Amino acid sequence: MQARFLRGIRFADLTWAGAGPFATKIFADFGAEVIKFESATRADPVRLGGPFRDGVAGLNRSGYFASRNTGKRSVALNLKSPEGQAIVLDLIRQADVVSNNFGPGAMDRLGLSYEEVRKVRPDIIYLSMPMYGEDGPLSNLLGVGMTISAVTGMMSLTGYAGGPPVGPGTHFPDHAANPYHAAFAVLAALRHRRRTGRGMKIDLAQVESTINCLGPAVLEQAITGKEPERVGNRSARHAPHNVFRCRGEDRWCAITVLTDAQWGALATLIGTEALAADPGLATAAGRLARVDEVEAAVSRWTEGREAAEVMARLQAAGIPAGVVADPRSLMEDDPQLRHRRYWQRLDHPELKEATYTSPPFRMDGERVELRRPPLIGEHTDEVLGGLLGYDAARLAALRASGTIEV
């Protein structure tokens, strides 16, 4: 059954690329009507990026786009034309939320600034997601997830001790921090409107919400005046705390010891009685001082065993451990994800049957039943003709003028 938690909420969605569409996907998956305005001539860059079905490129063949746009409807317009902008405003009259992640000034140039939108829908929730926000000394700087990882310091913090920055790619900015901050802000604004009748503009600077993931590092630098150092998978408080090689090709298990009692159990389990009895290793401070020695002992035990065996034996002894799973293992072997129906199969006219990720949480106890992503412009006539009431002659004229692109 399709989720109902957000049913009745309508988005005029102008987001594209990564973080913005991921934010509005959350609403679409939980039952909101998300109408995605896009262009076939200046397509969402994610539609143009792979991986493509069977390696054949096409606007409707990107797995990346598909995974970020489940449950949405697509309207393809020339948004730079006055007619296209008028159509968006027509829909906004019936919408609850307008969303975009363009740079500052882009919506103004489309005639869709907050001030213009409020004229047709005074209680609108208006979500804007520029990298540095809409004003301030750096607001004219533009970037994507990788840029945000760099300028926030996340890139600098991610890497091995003594080595170069490695970075987390786009994962935290585009798929965690910014979309979920945006979704939470929109939910709060909708609740505020329900209680007061007033709309709201949300200016979400993606740099700020990404920095929110770096709280301990920011505090450390503020207190000590020193830039935090890269530590790889190690911890400044616990040892051992790392991923350890196991038997097989690129197989690993994450292990962390949080208490002195856990260290005793681990040292005994791996057959290092001398280490277990060593008073210099009885405390976290002592183990941190000799972390290379401690990790080498653990590695000698793990590298001859299967990762699943390592995890099971350590967990049975009360020691936190988990297999570092590759994508195939997550899809095929993880019982928790399977039970929660995190992976769902959907059919699609061009992508055919493929696997998609559903939200890892519930709202009001509801599990999401995903709906497939749209073809570009697939719902243009349905939205303009059905929702907005344009007749066949008007639709034909809009196509002839190039306002409707598909």
Side-chain angles (χ1 to χ4, degrees), residues 153-167 227-234:
M154 187 173 282
M155 196 80 75
S156 175
L157 287 170
T158 310
Y160 294 101
V166 175
E227 184 174 331
E229 296 181 356
R230 290 181 286 278
V231 296
N233 295 305
R234 287 178 170 175

Side-chain angles (χ1 to χ4, degrees), residues 69-344:
N69 289 280
T70 51
K72 300 178 184 179
R73 298 204 280 174
S74 172
V75 174
L77 299 174
N78 176 2
L79 294 176
K80 293 188 175 181
S81 70
E83 295 86 356
Q85 294 162 16
I87 291 170
V88 177
L89 286 171
D90 272 355
L91 178 70
I92 288 171
R93 289 185 175 91
Q94 302 183 46
D96 300 283
V97 183
V98 176
S99 51
N100 83 88
N101 59 333
F102 301 137
M107 290 289 279
D108 297 20
R109 292 189 291 274
L110 294 174
L112 297 171
S113 67
Y114 180 53
E115 291 71 23
E116 291 300 315
V117 166
R118 287 183 68 195
K119 292 177 183 177
V120 302
R121 183 66 193 252
D123 64 348
I124 197 73
I125 308 300
Y126 190 98
L127 171 65
S128 181
M129 300 174 63
M131 185 169 79
Y132 274 105
E134 290 200 353
D135 53 31
L138 300 178
S139 61
N140 63 326
L141 299 180
L142 306 179
V144 294
M146 193 75 77
T147 320
I148 296 168
S149 290
V151 301
T152 58
M154 187 173 282
M155 196 80 75
S156 175
L157 287 170
T158 310
Y160 294 101
V166 175
T170 66
H171 301 301
F172 281 94
D174 282 355
H175 309 123
N178 296 320
Y180 283 104
H181 275 80
F184 187 89
V186 170
L187 287 171
L190 288 167
R191 182 174 185 270
H192 174 79
R193 188 180 69 179
R194 186 181 64 193
R195 299 178 67 183
T196 68
R198 295 193 297 271
M200 184 180 296
K201 180 179 181 181
I202 301 166
D203 181 10
L204 186 141
Q206 293 196 43
V207 164
E208 292 180 358
S209 47
T210 301
I211 289 173
N212 196 39
C213 293
L214 305 174
V218 173
L219 285 174
E220 180 182 343
Q221 184 161 7
I223 293 169
T224 66
K226 298 179 181 179
E227 184 174 331
E229 296 181 356
R230 290 181 286 278
V231 296
N233 295 305
R234 287 178 170 175
S235 165
R237 294 185 297 163
H238 307 295
H241 182 292
N242 215 322
V243 293
F244 294 87
R245 185 180 293 278
C246 300
R247 180 190 298 163
E249 179 69 23
D250 199 26
R251 302 298 292 167
W252 304 79
C253 187
I255 302 170
T256 186
V257 165
L258 302 176
T259 68
D260 297 336
Q262 288 175 2
W263 163 247
L266 175 62
T268 300
L269 178 65
I270 66 176
T272 55
E273 287 77 6
L275 294 181
D278 189 333
L281 299 177
T283 65
R287 293 190 295 276
L288 286 167
R290 296 163 59 185
V291 66
D292 291 338
E293 177 187 353
V294 168
E295 289 186 353
V298 177
S299 290
R300 285 192 293 271
W301 183 79
T302 62
E303 62 190 10
R305 293 170 170 79
E306 298 290 337
E309 177 199 347
V310 170
M311 176 182 72
R313 293 184 65 178
L314 292 181
Q315 288 184 356
I319 302 158
V323 170
V324 180
D326 59 28
R328 183 174 295 279
S329 295
L330 284 174
M331 291 180 67
E332 296 179 356
D333 304 330
D334 191 299
Q336 296 294 332
L337 294 179
R338 185 165 54 247
H339 173 74
R340 298 171 189 170
R341 298 201 65 241
Y342 179 71
W343 307 107
Q344 296 184 26

Side-chain angles (χ1 to χ4, degrees), residues 47 52 57-62 65 348 350-351 374-377:
R47 276 196 181 273
F52 295 109
L59 289 176
N60 298 309
R61 302 182 65 83
S62 168
F65 176 89
H348 183 277
E350 294 198 36
L351 293 168
L375 303 172
I376 190 164

